[in-house]
Amino acid sequence: MRKLLLVLLTLLIIAGVLLAPSYLRYRQTRGAVPPGVRVGGLDFGAASEASVTEALTRLLAEPVAVYYVDQRILLRPQMLGFQVDVPAILAETEAHETTGHLLRVWVGEALHQPPPPVDVPMRYKLDRDRLDSWLTDIATRFDRAPSPARALSVASGIAPGKPGWQLDLPASRLRVITALTDPHTRTANLVVRETTPPPMDMKLLAELLRERSEQFPGVVGISLHHIPTGQELTLNGDVAFSGMGTMKLVILEELFRKLNAAPDPQTSALISETVSMAGTRSANELLALIGGGDAAAGVTALNASLRKLGLKSTFMAAPYDQAGPRVTTPANSRIGVNTQPDPNVQTTPREIGMVMQMLVECAQGGGTLLAAYGEQITQAECQQILDYLKLNE
Protein backbone atom coordinates (compact mmCIF):
# COMPACT_ATOMS: atom_id res chain seq x y z
CA MET A 1 0.00 0.00 0.00
CA ARG A 2 2.83 2.32 0.93
CA LYS A 3 4.53 1.55 -2.37
CA LEU A 4 1.33 2.43 -4.28
CA LEU A 5 1.11 5.76 -2.48
CA LEU A 6 4.72 6.47 -3.33
CA VAL A 7 4.05 5.71 -7.00
CA LEU A 8 1.01 8.00 -7.08
CA LEU A 9 2.90 10.74 -5.34
CA THR A 10 5.75 10.41 -7.79
CA LEU A 11 3.30 10.64 -10.73
CA LEU A 12 1.70 13.75 -9.26
CA ILE A 13 5.09 15.40 -8.81
CA ILE A 14 6.04 14.56 -12.41
CA ALA A 15 2.68 15.90 -13.69
CA GLY A 16 3.12 19.04 -11.65
CA VAL A 17 6.62 19.56 -13.03
CA LEU A 18 5.37 19.07 -16.62
CA LEU A 19 2.28 21.24 -16.29
CA ALA A 20 3.72 23.95 -14.06
CA PRO A 21 5.22 25.97 -16.97
CA SER A 22 1.91 25.80 -18.85
CA TYR A 23 0.00 26.86 -15.78
CA LEU A 24 2.39 29.78 -15.11
CA ARG A 25 2.10 30.92 -18.73
CA TYR A 26 -1.68 30.60 -18.49
CA ARG A 27 -1.80 32.79 -15.39
CA GLN A 28 0.51 35.32 -17.01
CA THR A 29 -1.42 35.44 -20.30
CA ARG A 30 -4.95 35.07 -18.96
CA GLY A 31 -6.85 38.15 -20.03
CA ALA A 32 -10.56 38.88 -20.34
CA VAL A 33 -10.86 35.96 -22.77
CA PRO A 34 -9.48 32.56 -21.66
CA PRO A 35 -6.68 31.03 -23.73
CA GLY A 36 -7.92 28.75 -26.47
CA VAL A 37 -11.10 30.82 -26.93
CA ARG A 38 -11.72 33.29 -29.75
CA VAL A 39 -14.50 35.80 -30.32
CA GLY A 40 -15.84 35.96 -33.87
CA GLY A 41 -12.54 34.55 -35.10
CA LEU A 42 -10.51 37.15 -33.18
CA ASP A 43 -7.76 36.07 -30.78
CA PHE A 44 -7.46 38.64 -27.97
CA GLY A 45 -4.58 36.93 -26.17
CA ALA A 46 -3.98 38.57 -22.78
CA ALA A 47 -6.05 41.69 -23.57
CA SER A 48 -7.96 43.19 -20.69
CA GLU A 49 -11.72 43.56 -20.59
CA ALA A 50 -11.37 47.25 -21.43
CA SER A 51 -9.19 46.44 -24.46
CA VAL A 52 -11.60 43.75 -25.66
CA THR A 53 -14.52 46.12 -25.27
CA GLU A 54 -12.75 48.91 -27.13
CA ALA A 55 -11.65 46.62 -29.98
CA LEU A 56 -15.05 44.99 -30.51
CA THR A 57 -16.90 48.31 -30.27
CA ARG A 58 -14.54 49.92 -32.77
CA LEU A 59 -14.54 47.06 -35.25
CA LEU A 60 -18.30 46.53 -35.26
CA ALA A 61 -19.01 50.26 -35.50
CA GLU A 62 -17.45 50.31 -38.99
CA PRO A 63 -19.99 50.91 -41.82
CA VAL A 64 -21.25 47.97 -43.84
CA ALA A 65 -21.31 48.12 -47.65
CA VAL A 66 -24.71 46.79 -48.69
CA TYR A 67 -25.28 45.88 -52.34
CA TYR A 68 -28.63 45.80 -54.11
CA VAL A 69 -27.48 44.08 -57.31
CA ASP A 70 -24.87 46.66 -58.41
CA GLN A 71 -26.13 49.54 -56.25
CA ARG A 72 -23.84 50.20 -53.26
CA ILE A 73 -25.48 51.58 -50.10
CA LEU A 74 -23.49 52.46 -47.00
CA LEU A 75 -25.09 51.32 -43.74
CA ARG A 76 -23.86 52.66 -40.41
CA PRO A 77 -24.64 50.26 -37.53
CA GLN A 78 -25.72 53.18 -35.31
CA MET A 79 -28.66 53.79 -37.67
CA LEU A 80 -30.15 50.49 -36.51
CA GLY A 81 -29.33 50.86 -32.84
CA PHE A 82 -26.68 48.16 -33.24
CA GLN A 83 -24.44 47.58 -30.19
CA VAL A 84 -22.03 44.78 -29.48
CA ASP A 85 -22.95 43.07 -26.20
CA VAL A 86 -19.48 42.63 -24.69
CA PRO A 87 -20.66 41.45 -21.23
CA ALA A 88 -22.67 38.64 -22.85
CA ILE A 89 -19.70 37.68 -25.02
CA LEU A 90 -17.26 37.59 -22.09
CA ALA A 91 -19.70 35.59 -19.99
CA GLU A 92 -19.92 33.02 -22.76
CA THR A 93 -16.13 32.86 -23.12
CA GLU A 94 -15.74 32.27 -19.39
CA ALA A 95 -18.23 29.44 -19.56
CA HIS A 96 -15.66 27.57 -21.68
CA GLU A 97 -13.01 27.88 -18.96
CA THR A 98 -13.64 24.39 -17.64
CA THR A 99 -11.06 22.05 -16.17
CA GLY A 100 -11.26 19.86 -19.25
CA HIS A 101 -10.69 22.83 -21.57
CA LEU A 102 -7.71 24.06 -19.52
CA LEU A 103 -6.15 20.59 -19.45
CA ARG A 104 -6.46 20.31 -23.25
CA VAL A 105 -4.81 23.73 -23.65
CA TRP A 106 -1.97 22.98 -21.16
CA VAL A 107 -1.29 19.50 -22.47
CA GLY A 108 -1.34 20.80 -26.03
CA GLU A 109 1.17 23.50 -25.19
CA ALA A 110 3.39 21.02 -23.36
CA LEU A 111 3.33 18.76 -26.43
CA HIS A 112 3.59 21.71 -28.83
CA GLN A 113 0.28 20.65 -30.41
CA PRO A 114 -2.31 23.20 -29.31
CA PRO A 115 -5.93 22.08 -29.83
CA PRO A 116 -8.26 23.92 -32.22
CA PRO A 117 -9.59 27.11 -30.56
CA VAL A 118 -13.18 27.41 -29.44
CA ASP A 119 -14.98 30.23 -31.30
CA VAL A 120 -17.65 32.28 -29.52
CA PRO A 121 -20.08 34.13 -31.84
CA MET A 122 -20.76 37.83 -31.57
CA ARG A 123 -23.56 38.83 -29.24
CA TYR A 124 -25.33 42.06 -30.01
CA LYS A 125 -28.35 44.26 -29.54
CA LEU A 126 -30.29 45.47 -32.58
CA ASP A 127 -33.56 47.25 -33.29
CA ARG A 128 -35.06 44.82 -35.82
CA ASP A 129 -37.95 47.17 -36.58
CA ARG A 130 -35.47 49.82 -37.69
CA LEU A 131 -33.62 47.23 -39.79
CA ASP A 132 -36.84 46.12 -41.49
CA SER A 133 -37.82 49.74 -42.07
CA TRP A 134 -34.42 50.43 -43.64
CA LEU A 135 -34.72 47.39 -45.91
CA THR A 136 -38.27 48.37 -46.89
CA ASP A 137 -36.99 51.80 -47.88
CA ILE A 138 -34.26 50.15 -50.00
CA ALA A 139 -36.90 48.00 -51.69
CA THR A 140 -39.03 51.08 -52.38
CA ARG A 141 -36.08 52.81 -53.99
CA PHE A 142 -34.66 49.99 -56.06
CA ASP A 143 -37.30 47.31 -56.62
CA ARG A 144 -38.48 47.34 -60.21
CA ALA A 145 -41.72 45.91 -61.47
CA PRO A 146 -41.42 43.78 -64.61
CA SER A 147 -42.30 45.65 -67.77
CA PRO A 148 -44.75 44.06 -70.19
CA ALA A 149 -44.03 43.54 -73.85
CA ARG A 150 -45.10 46.40 -76.10
CA ALA A 151 -45.99 46.85 -79.72
CA LEU A 152 -43.55 49.04 -81.64
CA SER A 153 -44.58 49.19 -85.28
CA VAL A 154 -45.40 46.88 -88.14
CA ALA A 155 -41.77 47.00 -89.25
CA SER A 156 -40.24 46.56 -85.78
CA GLY A 157 -42.75 44.11 -84.30
CA ILE A 158 -43.07 43.54 -80.57
CA ALA A 159 -40.48 44.46 -77.96
CA PRO A 160 -40.31 41.68 -75.35
CA GLY A 161 -41.01 42.43 -71.71
CA LYS A 162 -38.22 42.93 -69.20
CA PRO A 163 -37.90 41.11 -65.86
CA GLY A 164 -38.20 43.02 -62.61
CA TRP A 165 -36.41 42.90 -59.27
CA GLN A 166 -37.91 42.29 -55.84
CA LEU A 167 -36.06 42.35 -52.53
CA ASP A 168 -36.39 39.21 -50.42
CA LEU A 169 -36.64 40.94 -47.04
CA PRO A 170 -36.28 37.94 -44.65
CA ALA A 171 -33.25 36.54 -46.51
CA SER A 172 -31.70 40.01 -46.85
CA ARG A 173 -32.22 40.70 -43.14
CA LEU A 174 -30.08 37.67 -42.27
CA ARG A 175 -27.30 38.79 -44.61
CA VAL A 176 -27.23 42.30 -43.16
CA ILE A 177 -27.07 40.97 -39.59
CA THR A 178 -24.25 38.61 -40.61
CA ALA A 179 -22.30 41.54 -42.03
CA LEU A 180 -22.96 43.72 -38.97
CA THR A 181 -21.51 41.02 -36.69
CA ASP A 182 -18.55 40.16 -38.91
CA PRO A 183 -15.42 42.13 -37.94
CA HIS A 184 -13.54 40.89 -41.02
CA THR A 185 -15.86 41.38 -44.03
CA ARG A 186 -18.13 44.40 -43.77
CA THR A 187 -20.14 43.58 -46.90
CA ALA A 188 -23.68 42.31 -47.47
CA ASN A 189 -25.21 41.31 -50.79
CA LEU A 190 -28.97 41.63 -50.50
CA VAL A 191 -31.10 38.79 -51.85
CA VAL A 192 -32.94 40.11 -54.89
CA ARG A 193 -35.35 37.88 -56.77
CA GLU A 194 -35.93 38.32 -60.47
CA THR A 195 -39.62 38.61 -61.35
CA THR A 196 -40.77 37.51 -64.77
CA PRO A 197 -42.65 39.91 -67.06
CA PRO A 198 -46.31 39.22 -67.75
CA PRO A 199 -46.90 37.00 -70.78
CA MET A 200 -47.65 38.64 -74.08
CA ASP A 201 -51.31 38.73 -75.04
CA MET A 202 -53.39 39.32 -78.12
CA LYS A 203 -53.71 43.06 -77.43
CA LEU A 204 -50.15 43.66 -78.66
CA LEU A 205 -50.75 41.72 -81.84
CA ALA A 206 -54.06 43.52 -82.30
CA GLU A 207 -52.29 46.90 -82.26
CA LEU A 208 -49.91 45.82 -85.01
CA LEU A 209 -52.63 44.20 -87.11
CA ARG A 210 -54.89 47.24 -86.89
CA GLU A 211 -51.99 49.46 -87.89
CA ARG A 212 -51.22 47.17 -90.83
CA SER A 213 -54.87 46.97 -91.88
CA GLU A 214 -55.06 50.75 -92.07
CA GLN A 215 -52.40 50.61 -94.78
CA PHE A 216 -54.54 48.26 -96.91
CA PRO A 217 -56.90 49.96 -99.39
CA GLY A 218 -59.73 47.54 -98.78
CA VAL A 219 -61.50 45.61 -96.04
CA VAL A 220 -59.34 43.42 -93.81
CA GLY A 221 -60.92 40.54 -91.93
CA ILE A 222 -58.92 38.70 -89.26
CA SER A 223 -59.77 36.01 -86.75
CA LEU A 224 -57.15 34.53 -84.43
CA HIS A 225 -57.65 31.97 -81.70
CA HIS A 226 -54.77 30.84 -79.47
CA ILE A 227 -55.77 27.30 -78.62
CA PRO A 228 -53.57 26.81 -75.49
CA THR A 229 -54.97 29.92 -73.74
CA GLY A 230 -58.28 30.52 -75.49
CA GLN A 231 -57.31 34.13 -76.29
CA GLU A 232 -59.02 35.51 -79.37
CA LEU A 233 -58.59 38.47 -81.67
CA THR A 234 -60.93 39.55 -84.44
CA LEU A 235 -60.96 42.44 -86.87
CA ASN A 236 -64.17 42.63 -88.90
CA GLY A 237 -64.61 39.06 -87.68
CA ASP A 238 -68.37 38.92 -88.36
CA VAL A 239 -68.31 40.61 -91.77
CA ALA A 240 -69.35 38.45 -94.76
CA PHE A 241 -66.52 37.68 -97.21
CA SER A 242 -66.40 35.54 -100.32
CA GLY A 243 -65.58 32.05 -99.16
CA MET A 244 -63.94 30.68 -102.30
CA GLY A 245 -60.67 29.01 -101.25
CA THR A 246 -61.34 28.93 -97.53
CA MET A 247 -64.51 26.89 -98.06
CA LYS A 248 -62.27 23.99 -99.08
CA LEU A 249 -61.55 23.50 -95.34
CA VAL A 250 -65.19 22.56 -94.85
CA ILE A 251 -65.22 20.38 -97.98
CA LEU A 252 -62.28 18.34 -96.68
CA GLU A 253 -63.87 17.96 -93.26
CA GLU A 254 -67.09 16.69 -94.82
CA LEU A 255 -65.23 14.39 -97.23
CA PHE A 256 -63.27 12.64 -94.48
CA ARG A 257 -66.44 12.35 -92.42
CA LYS A 258 -68.03 10.61 -95.43
CA LEU A 259 -65.10 8.25 -96.11
CA ASN A 260 -64.97 4.96 -94.24
CA ALA A 261 -61.34 4.30 -95.15
CA ALA A 262 -58.25 6.19 -96.21
CA PRO A 263 -58.71 8.02 -99.52
CA ASP A 264 -57.73 5.99 -102.59
CA PRO A 265 -55.08 7.37 -105.00
CA GLN A 266 -57.66 9.05 -107.24
CA THR A 267 -59.35 10.77 -104.29
CA SER A 268 -55.97 11.77 -102.86
CA ALA A 269 -55.10 13.37 -106.19
CA LEU A 270 -58.38 15.31 -106.17
CA ILE A 271 -57.70 16.50 -102.60
CA SER A 272 -54.18 17.62 -103.48
CA GLU A 273 -55.38 19.48 -106.57
CA THR A 274 -58.23 21.11 -104.62
CA VAL A 275 -55.93 22.33 -101.87
CA SER A 276 -52.90 23.36 -103.89
CA MET A 277 -54.55 24.88 -106.98
CA ALA A 278 -57.18 27.56 -107.46
CA GLY A 279 -59.30 25.45 -109.82
CA THR A 280 -62.84 24.50 -108.85
CA ARG A 281 -63.31 21.35 -110.95
CA SER A 282 -61.64 19.07 -108.41
CA ALA A 283 -63.53 20.76 -105.55
CA ASN A 284 -66.83 20.01 -107.29
CA GLU A 285 -65.78 16.38 -107.76
CA LEU A 286 -65.14 16.15 -104.02
CA LEU A 287 -68.60 17.63 -103.40
CA ALA A 288 -69.99 14.88 -105.64
CA LEU A 289 -68.20 12.25 -103.54
CA ILE A 290 -69.79 13.78 -100.44
CA GLY A 291 -73.22 13.76 -102.13
CA GLY A 292 -73.05 10.18 -103.38
CA GLY A 293 -72.30 11.20 -106.96
CA ASP A 294 -74.27 14.50 -106.94
CA ALA A 295 -72.34 17.73 -106.26
CA ALA A 296 -75.57 19.60 -105.38
CA ALA A 297 -76.40 16.93 -102.80
CA GLY A 298 -72.87 17.36 -101.49
CA VAL A 299 -73.54 21.09 -101.03
CA THR A 300 -76.75 20.29 -99.13
CA ALA A 301 -74.86 17.90 -96.81
CA LEU A 302 -72.11 20.48 -96.32
CA ASN A 303 -74.58 23.22 -95.33
CA ALA A 304 -76.36 20.87 -92.91
CA SER A 305 -73.04 20.09 -91.27
CA LEU A 306 -72.22 23.79 -90.97
CA ARG A 307 -75.50 24.46 -89.17
CA LYS A 308 -74.93 21.52 -86.84
CA LEU A 309 -71.53 22.96 -85.93
CA GLY A 310 -73.17 26.33 -85.16
CA LEU A 311 -71.85 28.26 -88.19
CA LYS A 312 -74.75 30.48 -89.30
CA SER A 313 -73.03 32.73 -91.83
CA THR A 314 -70.98 30.15 -93.77
CA PHE A 315 -72.65 28.46 -96.75
CA MET A 316 -72.51 27.31 -100.34
CA ALA A 317 -75.61 28.06 -102.41
CA ALA A 318 -74.49 25.74 -105.20
CA PRO A 319 -71.39 23.92 -106.45
CA TYR A 320 -68.58 26.13 -107.69
CA ASP A 321 -69.26 28.05 -110.92
CA GLN A 322 -73.03 27.45 -110.62
CA ALA A 323 -75.75 29.82 -109.51
CA GLY A 324 -77.86 29.01 -106.50
CA PRO A 325 -80.69 30.58 -104.53
CA ARG A 326 -80.10 33.73 -102.51
CA VAL A 327 -79.07 32.95 -98.94
CA THR A 328 -79.54 35.46 -96.13
CA THR A 329 -77.27 35.20 -93.12
CA PRO A 330 -76.60 37.36 -90.05
CA ALA A 331 -73.31 38.44 -91.66
CA ASN A 332 -74.55 39.48 -95.13
CA SER A 333 -77.61 41.23 -93.73
CA ARG A 334 -75.74 43.43 -91.23
CA ILE A 335 -75.51 47.17 -91.82
CA GLY A 336 -72.08 48.73 -92.13
CA VAL A 337 -69.04 47.21 -93.82
CA ASN A 338 -69.94 45.51 -97.08
CA THR A 339 -67.32 43.51 -99.01
CA GLN A 340 -69.78 42.63 -101.78
CA PRO A 341 -69.20 38.91 -101.22
CA ASP A 342 -69.87 36.21 -103.80
CA PRO A 343 -73.60 35.38 -103.38
CA ASN A 344 -72.97 31.65 -103.88
CA VAL A 345 -70.21 31.00 -101.30
CA GLN A 346 -69.66 33.05 -98.18
CA THR A 347 -68.12 32.89 -94.75
CA THR A 348 -66.79 35.23 -92.06
CA PRO A 349 -63.27 35.43 -90.59
CA ARG A 350 -64.59 34.26 -87.22
CA GLU A 351 -66.49 31.24 -88.58
CA ILE A 352 -63.81 29.95 -90.97
CA GLY A 353 -61.36 30.45 -88.11
CA MET A 354 -63.62 28.27 -85.98
CA VAL A 355 -63.44 25.54 -88.63
CA MET A 356 -59.64 25.63 -88.51
CA GLN A 357 -59.76 25.60 -84.72
CA MET A 358 -62.04 22.56 -84.78
CA LEU A 359 -59.64 20.72 -87.09
CA VAL A 360 -56.61 21.46 -84.93
CA GLU A 361 -58.40 20.47 -81.71
CA CYS A 362 -59.65 17.31 -83.41
CA ALA A 363 -56.07 16.46 -84.46
CA GLN A 364 -55.14 16.86 -80.79
CA GLY A 365 -57.84 14.42 -79.72
CA GLY A 366 -60.62 16.76 -78.63
CA GLY A 367 -62.91 19.60 -79.64
CA THR A 368 -66.23 20.11 -81.38
CA LEU A 369 -65.82 17.77 -84.38
CA LEU A 370 -65.16 14.69 -82.30
CA ALA A 371 -67.96 15.65 -79.91
CA ALA A 372 -70.47 16.28 -82.72
CA TYR A 373 -69.67 13.35 -85.02
CA GLY A 374 -68.25 10.64 -82.79
CA GLU A 375 -66.74 7.86 -84.89
CA GLN A 376 -67.65 9.52 -88.21
CA ILE A 377 -64.33 11.41 -88.08
CA THR A 378 -61.16 10.48 -86.25
CA GLN A 379 -58.18 12.25 -84.77
CA ALA A 380 -55.94 10.71 -87.45
CA GLU A 381 -58.23 11.96 -90.24
CA CYS A 382 -58.14 15.51 -88.88
CA GLN A 383 -54.35 15.37 -88.80
CA GLN A 384 -54.37 14.11 -92.38
CA ILE A 385 -56.49 17.11 -93.41
CA LEU A 386 -53.96 19.46 -91.79
CA ASP A 387 -51.16 17.67 -93.61
CA TYR A 388 -52.96 18.22 -96.93
CA LEU A 389 -53.37 21.90 -96.10
CA LYS A 390 -49.57 22.27 -95.96
CA LEU A 391 -49.62 21.97 -99.77
CA ASN A 392 -51.04 25.51 -99.87
CA GLU A 393 -48.81 28.04 -98.12
Side-chain angles (χ1 to χ4, degrees), residues 75-347:
L75 171 62
R76 300 188 181 280
Q78 299 85 350
M79 297 167 55
L80 309 178
F82 179 88
Q83 290 181 329
V84 59
D85 191 347
V86 178
I89 293 173
L90 294 180
E92 190 167 343
T93 63
E94 290 178 3
H96 288 282
E97 195 177 27
T98 63
T99 302
H101 172 76
L102 294 178
L103 285 174
R104 282 194 298 272
V105 172
W106 295 340
V107 171
E109 288 183 357
L111 299 175
H112 303 290
Q113 293 181 348
V118 175
D119 196 54
V120 172
M122 293 293 179
R123 301 302 176 192
Y124 59 91
K125 297 177 182 178
L126 172 69
D127 189 332
R128 290 178 178 266
D129 289 339
R130 286 162 70 177
L131 173 56
D132 285 353
S133 178
W134 185 81
L135 287 171
T136 300
D137 179 65
I138 294 298
T140 301
R141 290 164 56 192
F142 296 108
D143 276 3
R144 184 183 72 192
S147 59
R150 55 193 179 90
L152 300 174
S153 65
V154 173
S156 302
I158 296 175
K162 296 181 179 179
W165 293 333
Q166 185 174 32
L167 180 72
D168 186 329
L169 195 148
S172 296
R173 182 197 299 122
L174 292 176
R175 290 197 176 183
V176 171
I177 292 175
T178 299
L180 287 169
T181 57
D182 186 350
H184 307 284
T185 306
R186 309 293 288 169
T187 301
N189 291 299
L190 300 179
V191 180
V192 180
R193 310 294 184 191
E194 187 175 271
T195 55
T196 56
M200 288 187 281
D201 57 25
M202 287 289 194
K203 293 179 181 178
L204 296 173
L205 189 56
E207 291 181 36
L208 297 180
L209 291 175
R210 288 191 179 92
E211 179 184 344
R212 180 66 182 89
S213 68
E214 291 171 359
Q215 302 172 14
F216 180 69
V219 179
V220 174
I222 297 173
S223 178
L224 296 178
H225 179 94
H226 189 229
I227 290 177
T229 64
Q231 293 185 81
E232 293 186 339
L233 163 65
T234 59
L235 184 61
N236 290 324
D238 297 314
V239 171
F241 283 79
S242 296
M244 299 299 291
T246 54
M247 191 60 65
K248 294 173 183 178
L249 292 175
V250 185
I251 293 176
L252 292 188
E253 176 268 316
E254 278 300 291
L255 174 67
F256 274 84
R257 192 168 70 84
K258 177 77 172 180
L259 296 174
N260 293 320
D264 57 33
Q266 183 179 357
T267 304
S268 294
L270 288 174
I271 295 172
S272 298
E273 182 181 344
T274 299
V275 171
S276 61
M277 302 179 66
T280 56
R281 180 196 61 80
S282 59
N284 281 342
E285 291 191 36
L286 293 180
L287 285 170
L289 288 175
I290 295 170
D294 183 355
V299 168
T300 300
L302 181 145
N303 287 327
S305 179
L306 289 169
R307 300 300 166 263
K308 181 174 182 177
L309 295 174
L311 308 179
K312 299 179 180 179
S313 294
T314 302
F315 69 88
M316 292 189 74
Y320 286 107
D321 303 322
Q322 299 180 28
R326 177 178 176 81
V327 179
T328 300
T329 69
N332 63 25
S333 58
R334 70 198 302 269
I335 299 173
V337 179
N338 186 350
T339 65
Q340 298 181 355
D342 187 308
N344 288 312
V345 54
Q346 294 179 18
T347 188

Side-chain angles (χ1 to χ4, degrees), residues 1-15:
M1 186 68 176
R2 181 177 296 178
K3 288 182 179 181
L4 179 60
L5 291 174
L6 286 174
V7 172
L8 291 175
L9 180 60
T10 302
L11 291 175
L12 287 173
I13 292 171
I14 294 172

